Amino acid sequence: MLKIQPEAIMVAAQTQTTHKNFKGIEKTVFGRGSFSQLDEILAPRRGDNEGYFVFIVDNYFKGKPLEERVPVHAEDLTYYISVEEHEPTTEQIDQLRDEILAKKGLPSGVVGIGGGSIMDIAKALSLMLTNEGSSTLYQGLNLIKKPGVYHVGVPTISGTGAEVSMTAVLTGPVKKLGLKCEWTVFNQVVLDPELIASVPRNWWFYTGMDTYIHCVESENGRMNNAYSHAYAEQAMKLCREVYLGEQSGQTPENDDKLMVASLMGGLSLTYSEVGVCHALSYGLSKILGTRHCYANCLIMNHLEDYYPEGVAEFKQMVAYHQIDLPQGLANEWDDETITKMAHVSYNLPHMWLHAIGDNWQEVITIDVLKDLFRRL
Ligand code: NAD
Ligand code: ZN
């Protein structure tokens, strides 16, 4: 009988965990005006489950022309949700799920129309409609037990890559962590660059920079490979066209490019990993509630020791668009706050392994992290 050496099993196990095997978005439509196809896209699914759709729409669009264009049928439920006050929470998802199931039972599907926050709400809701208990039980990798309902993402601001990623980031009582599994990925996305034209200039910058930072981090670490590199390289090229040089700014051509860059930056990450900026950003967001993309920008400004070229180019973009990134924030934070942030950041070993390497614990200590936070 063939005897398998323990080493061989270890190598096989390592191979399995080293090479990621991901499911992508099932269907993607891209183009100006493609939002008008949404009704037609949903039509074949309308018979599923209790035969109605749930629309989750960013409250920004309430009373705007887009409201009239959302293809809501009489039986559907629509929620206009404000994402101004906080990022999506586990409590918010649980409440929404309970309310929807109590009202009308299991829907045919969920459609999210908005930015990264709404994308995450739609993805998390789809999963939680079929998985029992609180969403806090499922924060992490592959903890979800059953596929969610059909879900569609319609991004209206570009940069986070939430439209393509396999995670739905939620802030819970204990952690800010995604529901991460194959079933999180959208069944369909509708990429209509016309929808991002109204994004205010500061958000256009912060959220777009999330893509740029995703690429810098994806490229600079040990998980980077030819596949993630190809996406990052292209996404960074598009970001340079959108944010640097004579043609830069919020134009229709650049909106097309930014929407694609966001998707490609997200794909690059899927096959690589984020790094120092995101690890720190999670600490800042968890402890002080600072918004993800804004937090990244505040931090990236001070990471020249880790990403010298990326930070130099980021600063060029900040200067070019005269974006005001406040300094001296840490003067207002006491040692306890900074220590808490440092601990949240430290507890993201997959990011540190990627960015720093096997010996990351020799390089990154709580004190090093506290010093980084003090630079802000
Ligand atoms: P957002 O959804 O938080 O929205 C930012 C602001 O832009 C809001 O005020 C919103 O109302 C407004 N807005 C959105 N579209 C608009 C439009 N077309 N016109 C005018 N205003 C508009 O923005 P975001 O930066 O895309 O998302 C951040 C969220 O994404 C965070 O919660 C973060 O945790 C999450 N995120 C998720 C992933 C993922 O892979 N799942 C990745 C990165 C970030
Ligand atoms: Zn990000």
Side-chain angles (χ1 to χ4, degrees):
M1 207 175 88
L2 181 70
K3 211 171 159 213
I4 298 173
Q5 297 298 319
E7 291 85 341
I9 296 169
M10 263 182 63
V11 169
Q14 277 169 3
T15 313
Q16 269 174 12
T17 50
T18 308
H19 301 295
K20 300 176 174 182
N21 183 12
F22 285 144
K23 178 167 158 286
I25 303 167
E26 281 161 27
K27 297 188 97 175
T28 304
V29 53
F30 172 81
R32 308 202 137 253
S34 58
F35 184 74
S36 303
Q37 287 165 240
L38 185 56
D39 195 30
E40 187 187 312
I41 287 169
L42 303 181
R45 314 299 299 229
R46 283 198 169 271
D48 296 352
N49 302 324
E50 299 302 320
Y52 77 99
F53 265 92
V54 176
F55 289 87
I56 306 291
V57 188
D58 189 313
N59 197 49
Y60 166 82
F61 294 107
K62 188 100 194 105
K64 303 281 191 314
L66 192 80
E67 184 181 0
E68 300 295 314
R69 296 178 58 208
V70 179
V72 180
H73 291 204
E75 64 276 16
D76 295 341
L77 288 180
T78 309
Y79 290 87
Y80 281 89
I81 296 183
S82 169
V83 301
E84 297 285 337
E85 272 166 40
H86 56 77
E87 293 187 340
T89 66
T90 50
E91 196 189 353
Q92 183 183 19
I93 299 299
D94 296 349
Q95 273 178 8
L96 197 56
R97 182 264 319 263
D98 294 345
E99 189 181 312
I100 291 168
L101 289 179
K103 261 190 192 161
K104 293 185 76 101
L106 197 64
S108 312
V110 175
V111 182
I113 303 172
S117 305
I118 296 287
M119 295 296 104
D120 283 348
I121 294 174
K123 291 198 274 187
L125 178 63
S126 152
L127 294 169
M128 293 313 300
L129 281 162
T130 54
N131 286 272
E132 279 153 30
S134 166
S135 50
T136 54
L137 299 170
Y138 305 105
Q139 284 180 287
L141 181 62
N142 292 334
L143 301 176
I144 289 280
K145 297 194 170 61
K146 296 179 208 160
V149 297
Y150 173 78
H151 50 306
V152 179
V154 185
T156 65
I157 174 169
S158 291
T160 64
E163 64 278 21
V164 68
S165 76
M166 63 178 298
T167 186
V169 183
L170 298 181
T171 303
V174 184
K175 46 197 170 189
K176 180 181 175 187
L177 195 63
L179 313 185
K180 191 170 181 183
C181 70
E182 282 202 358
W183 298 314
T184 313
V185 183
F186 281 116
N187 299 101
Q188 166 86 55
V189 295
V190 176
L191 302 177
D192 182 347
E194 282 179 1
L195 302 186
I196 70 172
S198 56
V199 171
R201 205 176 67 94
N202 58 342
W203 280 112
W204 167 77
F205 189 83
Y206 304 141
T207 301
M209 281 303 108
D210 197 24
T211 283
Y212 182 76
I213 296 167
H214 287 162
C215 295
V216 171
E217 295 188 298
S218 171
E219 292 266 72
N220 289 282
R222 68 177 203 177
M223 300 287 285
N224 191 31
N225 54 51
Y227 193 93
S228 52
H229 167 65
Y231 281 119
E233 189 175 51
Q234 185 61 31
M236 285 172 104
K237 177 175 170 278
L238 292 167
C239 284
R240 284 180 193 117
E241 290 169 14
V242 174
Y243 291 102
L244 283 177
E246 280 171 20
Q247 308 297 322
S248 85
Q250 284 178 282
T251 64
E253 292 75 21
N254 284 338
D255 288 346
D256 287 9
K257 290 176 184 175
L258 190 57
M259 204 158 228
V260 176
S262 174
L263 191 89
M264 290 193 160
L267 283 169
S268 174
L269 267 195
T270 303
Y271 288 88
S272 180
E273 189 48 85
V274 286
V276 181
C277 188
H278 275 70
L280 291 166
S281 172
Y282 270 53
L284 184 56
S285 293
K286 173 70 190 141
I287 303 305
L288 294 182
T290 311
R291 312 295 300 240
H292 177 77
C293 302
Y294 180 57
N296 282 346
C297 289
L298 293 176
I299 294 160
M300 190 67 175
N301 219 11
H302 298 281
L303 291 185
E304 43 278 271
D305 295 352
Y306 297 89
Y307 305 118
E309 288 170 21
V311 172
E313 192 165 54
F314 167 79
K315 287 187 174 181
Q316 264 182 296
M317 298 182 192
V318 171
Y320 196 90
H321 293 284
Q322 299 176 328
I323 299 294
D324 183 30
L325 285 179
Q327 309 275 340
L329 294 171
N331 296 337
E332 308 289 313
W333 304 337
D334 59 20
D335 189 62
E336 196 192 337
T337 305
I338 293 179
T339 308
K340 279 190 201 160
M341 290 191 226
H343 279 279
V344 174
S345 304
Y346 189 81
N347 278 321
L348 294 162
H350 53 294
M351 297 183 194
W352 296 115
L353 262 172
H354 165 65
I356 310 289
D358 280 329
N359 67 335
W360 71 268
Q361 280 163 311
E362 290 161 29
V363 182
I364 300 296
T365 61
I366 294 294
D367 284 337
V368 166
L369 294 176
K370 285 173 71 174
D371 282 344
L372 283 171
F373 280 117
R374 284 200 189 93
R375 290 186 195 176
L376 298 186

